[in-house]
Amino acid sequence: MSAIDPNAQLFDSDDTPSTAADVDTSFASVDMNNGPTAPPPMGSLPLTSDDDGDGGSGGTLIITVTDPQELGEGRNKHTYYRIDVRPPGAYTDPISSIRRRYSDFQWLFSRLHAEKPGAIIPIIPHTAAMQSSKRFSEELVQERRGHLERFLRRVQVHPELEGAPSLSSFFSPDAEVFEAAKRENPTDTNMDDTMGETERLTEKVKHFFVKTTVKAKALRGGELEETSDGQQMEEIEEYLNTVSVHVKSLAKKTLALVKASEDTSKNMHELGQTLFGMHQTYDPDKNNNGNDSNMKHKTLPSLKTISTVLASLSAIHKVKYDENTSKVTQQILDIENSIKSARLALKRRKEKQLTYNTYLQQIKNRTAALDKIHHNASLTPPTPSNDAKMADAQKSLESARYASKIALDDLIQVTERIFREMDRFKSSLDQELRGVYVRHAKVQVDYSRQLDAEWGKLLVGDGSKPGAVGINVGSSNMQQSHDSDVLMI
């Protein structure tokens, strides 16, 4: 059965190339002086990016994920997202448009880890939804759309991921090319390409059992062979452990501060409704019979006025909560995810170290096996059978030595990548944390002014205009109101 082509089924005729020639040039890089050139791999296209990789100024292309649409029925029902790549400019047409489903993004995430181990690859936040009604709810689909767009933008400007084969496959407008890439199994570079299929399978089985033994040894506290950079790797692990504890605490307290605005909004709304209900039971303006005590009430705002002000305060706190959620909550959660990404990078490096140690163990085992064959051969007259055994054992040993050299080179390469990544990670983390709290401070200042203005409507004036709600508020009262509001927030 041929693969479903969402590009053909979900695009309007006006939005998609209509000819093969159009498809072939959809990923062409544009040179303003010389015109279109041959299309480069998508992994090499520089995309527009701001400081956190979410898109902005300073690059060449802009990427967006939009227009989620459902395809299929029943258990085969899926949501496909439109991915547009366009040159800079407010109203430019996309130079390429494709459709991908959520699992395709997950595939890309996994392949990037396999192709560029040690790279700190952005995590795609996942919200589990077992029921179909929740999986295809507009809220979840839109939440995923935002996560997927941020993921692609950060991946595309990631210096360590340039040239990754999976990026070219993922962005290919040809559905068959992408489906073939997903079906294809990555080549095991640790195995000799000259081996036959049976030999390769046998070698993998042996490798699996030796690796299991080495892994069990490590779990029991046994030390693995390290590179010369082992001490630096330990320092990086300790740094991430420390930072993780701090960021968890920061996230917990910061999210509580943000949620306080939502709680305050709800409480003020309920308080205002209750006061309005009290106002309806007794309105002093309607029950004024010339009583002097009622005239004194004119110097105070009515319960109706207070309830109206509380309704405004509730609305301001709600808007403040929404803005803090977009400018602070999402960023602090992204920082938590970036630490998880860094830990995953170290995990990939640990897997490479385990592979290297597995081949070292194989060398020991095969050296012992060859020595045993030599010893047994020395006790008996030479025979073709013994010669064949020694030749096979020698070949097996050489194979393990060759594989261990490749594994060591791979481990060193991954280690160097992690060092580069961690330098960027530390600088980026510092900038992101400072940015989060500067944005939070700006929201506080902006809305504190609005809140002060609303609270000020309830304060009595200096007595020059009896019965009017005070506008000329004393500086000490205003400062007191501001301090109380800050504490409440």
Side-chain angles (χ1 to χ4, degrees):
M1 187 175 76
S2 61
I4 294 176
D5 186 353
N7 300 330
Q9 295 192 32
L10 291 178
F11 281 115
D12 296 329
S13 58
D14 293 338
D15 294 335
T16 43
S18 57
T19 66
D22 290 333
V23 172
D24 290 341
T25 59
S26 63
F27 275 83
S29 63
V30 178
D31 186 330
M32 292 304 189
N33 297 319
N34 302 317
T37 61
M42 192 61 193
S44 66
L45 291 177
L47 291 194
T48 296
S49 170
D50 58 14
D51 291 340
D52 61 1
D54 283 349
S57 62
T60 304
L61 300 175
I62 301 171
I63 191 166
T64 56
V65 178
T66 58
D67 190 26
Q69 293 188 19
E70 295 173 6
L71 187 66
E73 297 179 356
R75 297 177 65 86
N76 293 323
K77 185 178 180 181
H78 303 292
T79 300
Y80 282 86
Y81 299 85
R82 174 172 176 149
I83 304 169
D84 288 331
V85 180
R86 51 170 51 87
Y91 302 104
T92 56
D93 293 329
I95 61 173
S96 174
S97 295
I98 56 173
R99 287 274 179 184
R100 293 290 180 260
R101 52 187 286 194
Y102 185 75
S103 60
D104 295 334
F105 289 84
Q106 293 176 312
W107 173 86
L108 176 62
F109 175 80
S110 298
R111 288 302 306 145
L112 290 173
H113 269 291
E115 294 166 358
K116 302 288 184 177
I120 300 179
I121 299 169
I123 282 178
I124 306 174
H126 177 67
T127 303
M130 302 302 294
Q131 296 179 358
S132 178
S133 59
K134 292 183 179 179
R135 281 177 56 205
F136 299 102
S137 67
E138 183 177 356
E139 182 180 1
L140 178 59
V141 168
Q142 288 300 330
E143 179 184 333
R144 282 184 170 178
R145 185 208 61 76
H147 290 324
L148 297 176
E149 183 174 272
R150 281 193 293 273
F151 167 73
L152 282 186
R153 287 181 172 184
R154 291 169 180 174
V155 161
Q156 285 289 49
V157 297
H158 198 306
E160 296 294 337
L161 303 182
E162 184 176 348
S166 57
L167 281 174
S168 288
S169 301
F170 182 86
F171 282 99
S172 172
D174 188 337
E176 288 295 338
V177 169
F178 182 51
E179 291 300 321
K182 290 195 292 184
R183 290 192 301 266
E184 206 172 68
N185 292 321
T187 302
D188 189 347
T189 56
N190 291 325
M191 300 297 176
D192 189 348
D193 290 337
T194 62
M195 290 183 181
E197 191 62 34
T198 302
E199 288 180 283
R200 190 185 298 274
L201 181 60
T202 302
E203 193 71 16
K204 284 186 176 181
V205 171
K206 291 179 180 178
H207 181 82
F208 169 76
F209 283 111
V210 176
K211 189 171 186 176
T212 302
T213 302
V214 173
K215 193 172 183 179
K217 177 184 175 182
L219 290 173
R220 291 195 300 267
E223 292 188 2
L224 299 178
E225 289 290 331
E226 253 295 4
T227 63
S228 58
D229 301 311
Q231 180 61 39
Q232 287 177 266
M233 290 304 305
E234 289 182 10
E235 292 173 0
I236 288 175
E237 288 187 31
E238 185 177 347
Y239 162 78
L240 282 177
N241 290 336
T242 302
V243 165
S244 180
V245 172
H246 289 321
V247 169
K248 278 185 179 180
S249 178
L250 286 174
K252 182 178 179 181
K253 303 302 181 185
T254 303
L255 297 184
L257 282 174
V258 172
K259 191 176 185 304
S261 293
E262 182 184 39
D263 295 338
T264 302
S265 173
K266 292 177 180 178
N267 290 334
M268 286 188 168
H269 178 73
E270 294 174 4
L271 183 59
Q273 284 185 321
T274 303
L275 286 174
F276 186 74
M278 292 294 294
H279 161 73
Q280 290 179 317
T281 64
Y282 175 75
D283 185 349
D285 291 334
K286 292 181 179 180
N287 294 275
N288 183 10
N289 297 317
N291 192 323
D292 290 341
S293 63
N294 285 334
M295 292 300 295
K296 293 179 181 178
H297 291 165
K298 288 290 186 177
T299 63
L300 298 174
S302 68
L303 291 180
K304 180 180 179 180
T305 300
I306 296 174
S307 68
T308 300
V309 169
L310 286 170
S312 297
L313 290 168
S314 172
I316 293 171
H317 275 289
K318 179 61 172 66
V319 176
K320 176 185 174 184
Y321 167 74
D322 291 339
E323 188 166 345
N324 259 327
T325 298
S326 64
K327 293 184 176 180
V328 177
T329 300
Q330 185 58 55
Q331 278 64 36
I332 204 74
L333 294 176
D334 284 346
I335 290 173
E336 281 194 298
N337 284 331
S338 70
I339 294 175
K340 294 178 183 177
S341 298
R343 287 185 177 279
L344 280 177
L346 262 62
K347 185 178 180 181
R348 298 288 90 82
R349 197 256 179 194
K350 183 67 73 175
E351 290 171 356
K352 294 296 181 181
Q353 184 187 12
L354 184 61
T355 298
Y356 172 56
N357 277 260
T358 298
Y359 286 117
L360 291 181
Q361 186 61 47
Q362 280 189 347
I363 291 173
K364 292 178 182 178
N365 295 347
R366 293 177 185 185
T367 299
L370 182 59
D371 290 343
K372 185 177 180 181
I373 292 173
H374 276 297
H375 176 72
N376 292 338
S378 66
L379 302 178
T380 60
T383 63
S385 175
N386 284 341
D387 291 343
K389 286 182 180 179
M390 280 190 283
D392 288 343
Q394 186 64 44
K395 181 181 177 182
S396 180
L397 177 58
E398 292 302 322
S399 175
R401 286 173 176 166
Y402 176 74
S404 70
K405 182 181 182 301
I406 293 177
L408 178 58
D409 291 342
D410 202 13
L411 177 59
I412 292 172
Q413 184 182 44
V414 171
T415 302
E416 291 173 349
R417 179 176 291 129
I418 284 181
F419 288 157
R420 294 193 300 270
E421 284 284 62
M422 290 308 301
D423 286 341
R424 286 188 288 263
F425 176 83
K426 291 177 180 179
S427 174
S428 175
L429 178 62
D430 177 71
Q431 289 183 354
E432 287 176 9
L433 282 172
R434 284 187 284 169
V436 163
Y437 292 104
V438 167
R439 285 190 290 271
H440 184 60
K442 188 177 186 306
V443 172
Q444 295 297 104
V445 170
D446 290 345
Y447 286 94
S448 289
R449 290 169 183 155
Q450 298 181 45
L451 293 168
D452 282 346
E454 288 300 317
W455 282 118
K457 294 176 182 179
L458 301 183
L459 302 182
V460 177
D462 58 8
S464 60
K465 293 182 180 180
V469 176
I471 301 300
N472 183 20
V473 182
S475 60
S476 62
N477 287 340
M478 284 295 290
Q479 183 62 42
Q480 201 171 33
S481 171
H482 180 270
D483 292 343
S484 300
D485 188 50
V486 170
L487 288 172
M488 179 178 64
I489 293 169

